[in-house]
Amino acid sequence: MKARNYKNELAEAVAYFWKKRTVQSEKQGEASGTKDAGNRSSVTGGAQLDGFIELFAKIARDSGLTDSEIHMKETTLPGYYRPTKEWDLVLYADGDLIASVEFKSHIGPSFGNNFNNRVEEALGSATDLRTAYREGAMKQSIKPWMGYFMLLEDHPKSATPVKVREPYFPVLPDFKEASYQRRYVEFCRRLVLEGLYDSACLLFSAESTGRSGDFTEPSTGLDFIQFSASFIGAITAFIQNRDMRR
């Protein structure tokens, strides 16, 4: 039987993201009489990424896990450098952590303000959980799979090359005169290359067309198909291993 690619469901999640963002921004303005500076209301409102989280919960269910093994709430996991960290989606069964996934978005027009924050968050989360696993915080037969999912607004300011300050040493060539779109491609690629995450997915979507579910995938190594295939592979490996132990 041919495997599903879930592209229609992914488009629906993209559309949900933009529509939810619009609704939250409008409600914030109605409540206060003024809108937050920049896009803070859409950032602080939450729930915009729920469509993506629920899509991967569905993929996990279709791959053989039960609802009781798929967690979108109560997703606290132990850390090494801090006591705990909340993840967006956790797959947990029979005392084993199967997978954890972080879902993020970055919306303009001020892309420079949050890019470094996103990088530091992702690096910290991955390092914290992987080290906690190494130190035995999670009794585990299969190493937990970790995924990073990012939706970046396709905007003229995210596509424009950005100058960097180099007062002492030159920056690495891939970042020289790179747009934020290019920076995110390199960032997500290196997360996987360095083994911090098992897979990463990067989507670009413009607000004007995103409400209809439109998006682009800037790199074949960071596309949805490979990300979901890696996710499904981790679940399949866990189920097969569990069946062998029984």
Side-chain angles (χ1 to χ4, degrees):
M1 185 174 65
K2 185 178 179 180
R4 292 185 57 183
N5 63 23
Y6 296 95
K7 278 295 184 80
N8 291 336
E9 291 92 336
L10 179 60
E12 291 172 0
V14 170
Y16 177 87
F17 172 88
W18 287 110
K19 291 173 183 176
K20 188 70 173 178
R21 179 177 180 274
T22 299
V23 169
Q24 288 173 344
S25 181
E26 290 174 350
K27 285 185 176 180
Q28 188 277 334
E30 291 172 0
S32 65
T34 59
K35 295 201 174 185
D36 285 333
N39 290 293
R40 185 174 182 277
S41 62
S42 62
V43 172
T44 58
Q48 299 163 16
L49 294 164
D50 283 358
F52 299 111
I53 298 171
E54 291 170 3
L55 169 57
F56 278 89
K58 174 179 173 56
I59 294 173
R61 195 176 301 112
D62 291 346
S63 300
L65 295 183
T66 65
D67 286 340
S68 64
E69 297 167 335
I70 302 167
H71 304 272
M72 294 175 280
K73 297 180 179 179
E74 299 298 328
T75 58
T76 303
L77 295 175
Y80 179 77
Y81 297 97
R82 55 188 164 185
T84 61
K85 161 75 169 67
E86 294 286 336
W87 289 76
D88 295 311
L89 177 66
V90 166
L91 306 183
Y92 172 84
D94 298 339
D96 290 328
L97 175 62
I98 307 165
S100 59
V101 190
E102 192 89 328
F103 294 85
K104 295 292 184 182
S105 65
H106 191 166
I107 306 303
S110 181
F111 292 94
N113 288 347
N114 289 315
F115 174 73
N116 284 346
N117 291 339
R118 287 287 181 263
V119 171
E120 290 164 8
E121 289 169 356
L123 295 177
S125 295
T127 302
D128 200 30
L129 186 61
R130 288 204 179 278
T131 309
Y133 166 76
R134 185 197 71 192
E135 295 300 310
M138 291 150 280
K139 184 178 179 296
Q140 182 75 39
S141 59
I142 298 177
K143 188 176 182 180
W145 185 92
M146 292 172 57
Y148 186 80
F149 184 102
M150 165 62 70
L151 184 144
L152 174 67
E153 182 178 9
D154 190 356
H155 186 283
K157 290 187 177 181
S158 70
T160 301
V162 181
K163 291 184 179 295
V164 292
R165 295 177 64 248
E166 303 170 275
Y168 307 113
F169 303 102
V171 301
L172 294 176
D174 289 331
F175 291 116
K176 193 177 289 289
E177 300 294 324
S179 68
Y180 284 105
Q181 291 185 4
R182 184 61 194 170
R183 290 184 185 191
Y184 267 110
V185 169
E186 289 301 321
F187 164 55
C188 290
R189 186 180 70 82
R190 293 172 194 214
L191 287 178
V192 179
L193 179 65
E194 298 301 325
L196 291 169
Y197 290 85
D198 295 284
S199 189
C201 182
L202 176 62
L203 305 182
F204 294 166
S205 182
E207 184 174 11
S208 58
T209 58
R211 294 188 190 93
S212 299
D214 289 346
F215 63 90
T216 58
E217 297 170 293
S219 173
T220 54
L222 303 171
D223 60 281
F224 173 78
I225 291 296
Q226 65 78 30
F227 185 78
S228 57
S230 181
F231 180 70
I232 292 169
I235 297 169
T236 301
F238 168 79
I239 292 174
Q240 291 177 347
N241 183 276
R242 178 172 62 181
D243 290 345
M244 291 176 62
R245 285 183 285 167
R246 287 178 173 173

